[in-house]
């Protein structure tokens, strides 16, 4: 089955072609970072308008790269949620219009299920069951995964997600948008041990997270340094390192606890924050101590992309899942509501 995947949940327009027998044939992505940088964050209306502008040219580009005609496509998968409603509607309406014109099915895909299954695109994909750490701009969750659609939520953030905390902290200390990569870049030049940040909720039972207080701690540290006249680049680097280490240690600690609770030794990390090298190294070390394995997608498939949507949609379409031509999206959509295959 040849599936065209469309991703428009936020500020990146992704298109890909996935074949159930040949694998990923082509993918293209347009990021709106430059568009939103002047505002310090994503402006929903601008994001929607830019998706309209980019979608059809990217579809043509992917078809050309794959040397594929529209008549060869068997189905279309698109992100139906969660995400920005206006942005989601662009992808959904485009997918349903093309599906009607080409007389093929279209299927709405859960954005976070796409992230969760992205490591399946690699040469050595994880086997079910496993524990998944989903860390993106808007989500931080631990999920036990027994199969596609068989998800049990183990823990989630009570306030800011890890990626959101990265971006907000970066803004508070005067870094450019997007903040996550900026924090990671400066952290590589930081002096370890100069600042010690708390590891939130690690002294409590359970698998939930909270990063809002960590963000406030970073702000207070930065303000104290500024008051003392110490607000140079090195101080930003040192705060970035302390913040990153606190987030990585917290995520690693909770992952260890989740693996112990479930008795599993396979961990999948997915979402934009999973591209962070310090997080990968911390989890690899932890899994090595447990004689387990950690899996993640290549960096280009950690952020929002069409390939993960095409793959997830293909699996559900092959299992016989169908929907009508109605255009329906969900800004909020608990992944546990998805039907199991």
């Amino acid at each position: 089955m040849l599936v065209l995947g469309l991703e428009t949940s936020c500020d990146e327009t992704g298109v890909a072609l996935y074949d159930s027998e040949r694998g990923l044939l082509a993918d293209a992505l347009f990021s709106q970072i430059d568009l939103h940088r002047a505002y310090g964050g994503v402006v929903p209306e601008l994001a929607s308008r830019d998706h309209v502008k980019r979608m059809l040219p990217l579809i043509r580009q992917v078809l050309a790269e794959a040397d594929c005609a529209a008549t060869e496509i068997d189905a279309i998968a698109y992100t139906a949620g969660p995400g920005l409603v206006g942005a989601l509607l662009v992808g959904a309406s485009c997918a349903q219009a093309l599906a009607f014109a080409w007389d093929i099915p279209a299927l709405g895909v859960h954005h976070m299920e796409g992230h969760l299954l992205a490591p399946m695109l690699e040469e050595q994909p994880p086997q079910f069951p496993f524990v998944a750490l989903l860390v993106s701009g808007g989500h931080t969750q631990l999920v036990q995964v027994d199969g596609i659609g068989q998800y049990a939520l183990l823990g989630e953030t009570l306030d800011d997600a890890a990626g959101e905390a990265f971006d907000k902290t970066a803004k508070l200390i005067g870094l450019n948008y997007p903040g996550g990569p900026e924090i990671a870049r400066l952290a590589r030049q930081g002096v370890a041990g100069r600042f010690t940040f708390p590891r939130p909720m690690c002294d409590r039972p359970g698998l939930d997270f909270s990063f809002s207080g960590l963000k406030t701690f970073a702000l207070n540290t930065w303000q104290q340094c500024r008051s003392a006249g110490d607000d140079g680049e090195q101080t930003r680097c040192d705060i970035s390192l302390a913040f990153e280490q606190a987030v990585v240690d917290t995520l690693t600690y909770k992952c260890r606890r989740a693996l112990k609770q479930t008795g599993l030794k396979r961990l999948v990390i997915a979402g934009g924050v999973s591209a962070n090298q310090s997080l990968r190294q911390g989890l690899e070390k932890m899994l090595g101590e447990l004689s387990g394995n950690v899996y993640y997608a290549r960096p280009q498939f950690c952020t929002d992309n069409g390939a993960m949507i095409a793959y997830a949609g293909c699996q559900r379409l092959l299992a016989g899942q169908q929907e009508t031509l109605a255009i329906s999206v969900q800004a909020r959509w608990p992944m546990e509501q998805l039907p199991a295959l």
Side-chain angles (χ1 to χ4, degrees):
M1 175 179 281
L2 182 59
V3 178
L4 177 67
L6 309 181
E7 156 61 23
T8 62
S9 65
C10 190
D11 62 336
E12 289 169 316
T13 313
V15 178
L17 269 175
Y18 179 83
D19 187 273
S20 57
E21 297 182 358
R22 295 176 291 168
L24 184 64
L25 303 184
D27 73 282
L29 183 72
F30 184 86
S31 175
Q32 302 175 8
I33 287 177
D34 291 340
L35 174 65
H36 299 288
R37 181 174 284 125
Y39 304 95
V42 177
V43 181
E45 178 64 22
L46 294 181
S48 302
R49 290 174 181 267
D50 204 64
H51 285 311
V52 173
K53 180 179 178 181
R54 308 293 176 182
M55 180 58 70
L56 291 180
L58 284 177
I59 292 174
R60 296 189 186 101
Q61 177 184 330
V62 165
L63 291 177
E65 288 180 2
D67 192 22
C68 174
T71 53
E72 299 176 58
I73 297 174
D74 298 307
I76 302 176
Y78 63 94
T79 304
L84 302 175
V85 170
L88 291 168
L89 284 170
V90 176
S93 58
C94 181
Q96 294 288 19
L98 290 176
F100 180 78
W102 296 342
D103 193 25
I104 57 175
L107 181 68
V109 171
H110 193 289
H111 179 72
M112 295 310 296
E113 181 173 66
H115 275 304
L116 187 151
L117 297 178
M120 299 295 183
L121 294 165
E122 303 302 320
E123 291 185 4
Q124 295 183 326
Q127 300 296 312
F128 300 113
F130 55 77
V131 170
L133 172 65
L134 301 179
V135 274
S136 66
H139 298 80
T140 299
Q141 297 177 323
L142 279 166
V143 181
Q144 180 172 332
V145 181
D146 294 321
I148 296 179
Q150 300 177 48
Y151 308 131
L153 181 65
L154 302 174
E156 61 184 340
T157 185
L158 303 179
D159 40 57
D160 289 347
E164 186 179 10
F166 265 104
D167 288 340
K168 288 182 177 179
T169 298
K171 188 173 184 178
L172 291 172
I173 64 174
L175 302 181
N176 289 329
Y177 172 84
E182 285 294 296
I183 291 271
R185 180 181 65 83
L186 292 185
R188 291 194 289 269
Q189 306 167 48
V191 176
R194 180 183 174 189
F195 301 110
T196 301
F197 281 29
R199 274 56 175 165
M201 297 190 71
C202 288
D203 58 347
R204 304 180 190 179
L207 295 170
D208 287 333
F209 302 92
S210 173
F211 294 106
S212 181
L214 192 61
K215 174 190 65 183
T216 303
F217 194 95
L219 174 61
N220 291 338
T221 302
W222 172 242
Q223 289 177 334
Q224 290 169 8
C225 290
R226 291 190 68 183
S227 298
D230 184 13
D231 58 353
E233 186 72 2
Q234 187 58 50
T235 295
R236 283 191 175 91
C237 292
D238 297 342
I239 291 176
S240 295
L241 176 59
F243 176 82
E244 182 183 66
Q245 286 179 330
V247 173
V248 168
D249 287 351
T250 300
L251 293 173
T252 302
Y253 182 86
K254 290 299 181 82
C255 284
R256 180 191 288 270
R257 184 179 286 179
L259 291 167
K260 182 177 180 181
Q261 178 177 309
T262 60
L264 299 173
K265 292 191 175 183
R266 285 188 290 269
L267 176 71
V268 164
I269 56 171
V273 182
S274 69
N276 183 282
Q277 292 301 310
S278 294
L279 177 59
R280 291 189 177 196
Q281 292 167 7
L283 291 174
E284 287 172 354
K285 180 181 179 181
M286 184 266 288
L287 265 296
E289 295 170 354
L290 298 179
S291 299
N293 295 292
V294 60
Y295 301 86
Y296 39 75
R298 69 199 83 167
Q300 72 195 77
F301 294 147
C302 291
T303 57
D304 297 349
N305 63 88
M308 68 183 192
I309 301 303
Y311 177 84
C314 184
Q315 305 312 306
R316 289 193 169 275
L317 286 160
L318 287 172
Q321 188 169 329
Q322 297 180 349
E323 65 181 32
T324 67
L325 288 174
I327 297 174
S328 177
V329 299
Q330 301 183 58
R332 298 181 182 275
W333 188 5
M335 200 165 62
E336 309 90 86
Q337 294 180 357
L338 295 175
L341 298 190

